Amino acid sequence: MQVFVTRKIMARKRCNDGTDKGCSSLIPGQYFANKTHDGALEILQSSGEPLYLLPFIWWERMEDGDILLA
């Protein structure tokens, strides 16, 4: 799915082995994402590990208009 970010938002970074690497920001733009089994959005980036938005965060951001899904 495509994700459009309209405002800078924070997302969690996670290594491929499942360990947490802190937060990173998503700048406004278009991203591709997958929905994980726990409802989070896995934002795929051209370089580096994917970023994750937890369900309660991305639903709230959608209501505010900060994220659009297509």
Side-chain angles (χ1 to χ4, degrees), residues 2-58:
Q2 292 182 340
V3 176
F4 298 93
V5 176
T6 60
R7 290 190 191 148
K8 185 176 173 182
I9 58 173
M10 297 301 288
R12 300 298 297 176
K13 257 200 252 189
R14 187 166 30 177
C15 292
N16 292 332
D17 64 1
T19 56
D20 189 13
K21 291 186 79 173
C23 291
S24 185
S25 61
L26 284 171
I27 58 171
Q30 177 182 351
Y31 298 91
F32 290 98
N34 296 320
K35 200 169 184 183
T36 64
H37 67 282
D38 61 356
L41 285 181
E42 176 186 36
I43 308 293
L44 306 173
Q45 300 185 89
S46 59
S47 63
E49 279 109 6
L51 299 175
Y52 294 87
L53 291 173
L54 298 175
F56 63 90
I57 294 173
W58 67 266

